[in-house]
Every structure is written in structure tokens, then in C-alpha cells.
Amino acid sequence: FPSHDKGLKRMRVKELLSPLNLEVLNLDICNQASVEKLFTSSKPEVVIHLAAQAGVRLGVIESRKYVESNLVGFSNILISTIENKIPKFLYASSSSVYGDKAAIPYQESESNLHPNSFYGSTKLANELLTPTLVNSSTTVARGLRFLQSTDLGVGLIWHILE
């Protein structure tokens, strides 16, 4: 999240992830070779993909950031997960997929999804692409629709994977 405060990022890693002995890497997920090198060298048992160009307010000129991170980067991570036969893939989606046509309170089963933002559309695209790729693989994928990126609860994710 380049737009987020770097000090806050470092603090979250130190306070939330370091105690769990989780390694946090800075990696350009849009670079398929880098992603594949990481997967080959680390041989993960589970992939938790939380990286994204967040927010709903970028203008048209900056919309490429959403495409690069949320579509290209997401696809690189998902494809590498499948190709390396990693059994579990957990990724962050967003409540932005609901738009303003969905019934409130939101339901996971809602089919009337019409995002109001380019960001929300990329997150919905992730939800649509994922099952088509994992369908013929040994990978099980789950997406979590967070209300905001700040809602990401490491404890919740850890509990889901146990």
C-alpha cells in the first residue's frame, strides 16, 4: 500500500506479525519472475495474499495502479500458488464489491453485485477469476470481504487457517 504511512506499516509488522514469527517481504507482485522465485525458494504451505492497491478514490489517470496490483499482481500470486501445488490460498477481497444495489446488511450470498468504483470492480474480478483457476487444481481458495483494509485481523486469519 504505497499510499499508507510507512511508519504505520512497520509498526503493524513489529506488533502484529513479528510475534507470530511471520516473515514479511517487500516484493513487486507484478513481477512474475520474482513471485515464482519466492515460491520456489520458500515452498510455502499456505499463501495469505493481502497486497492490493487499496482505496476507492484514485482518478482515471491512476487507475493503472489498480490493474497492476489488483489484477496482474493477484493473478501472479494465484497462478504461482496453483502451479506450486500449495493447498491453501486465502486472499483479501472488499465490501466494495457490493456497490449500492446490494441489500443491507450485506450477505456473502448476494448476487446483485455492482461495484461503484474501479477498485471494487478489480476485487470482484478476483472473486470471479479465482474459482475458474483453482477448479482443476489441488488448491482450496477462500476470499474474505473486509469492510476496510484496516479491518484485517491477523488473529482472525490465523484462526481460519488452523
Side-chain angles (χ1 to χ4, degrees), residues 9 25 46 55 67 83 110 114 116 124 131:
K9 288 186 215 179
L25 304 172
V46 173
V67 172
E83 288 178 340
E110 177 66 58
H114 299 279
N116 292 338
L124 180 56

Side-chain angles (χ1 to χ4, degrees), residues 59-151:
V60 172
I61 294 170
E62 294 183 294
S63 61
R64 277 186 174 65
K65 292 178 181 179
Y66 293 121
V67 172
E68 292 166 0
S69 182
N70 301 0
L71 298 175
V72 174
F74 180 89
S75 297
N76 287 343
I77 299 288
L78 178 57
I79 291 167
S80 289
T81 300
I82 293 166
E83 288 178 340
N84 287 279
K85 297 180 175 33
I86 299 165
K88 295 179 182 177
F89 177 71
L90 183 69
Y91 67 96
S93 187
S94 169
S95 62
S96 293
V97 302
Y98 293 109
D100 60 4
K101 305 230 186 299
I104 296 176
Y106 296 142
Q107 304 271 335
E108 288 179 23
S109 59
E110 177 66 58
S111 61
N112 191 22
L113 301 175
H114 299 279
N116 292 338
S117 65
F118 197 82
Y119 165 74
S121 296
T122 63
K123 298 309 265 183
L124 180 56
N126 292 163
E127 291 186 22
L128 295 171
L129 292 170
T130 300
T132 66
L133 288 174
V134 300
N135 221 3
S136 59
S137 77
T138 58
T139 300
V140 175
R142 296 288 180 264
L144 300 174
R145 289 182 183 158
F146 293 106
L147 295 175
Q148 296 179 357
S149 62
T150 55
D151 291 340

Side-chain angles (χ1 to χ4, degrees), residues 37-50:
K37 183 178 177 184
L38 172 66
F39 277 60
T40 303
S41 66
S42 64
K43 300 187 185 333
E45 296 175 22
V46 173
V47 173
I48 302 172
H49 177 53
L50 305 177

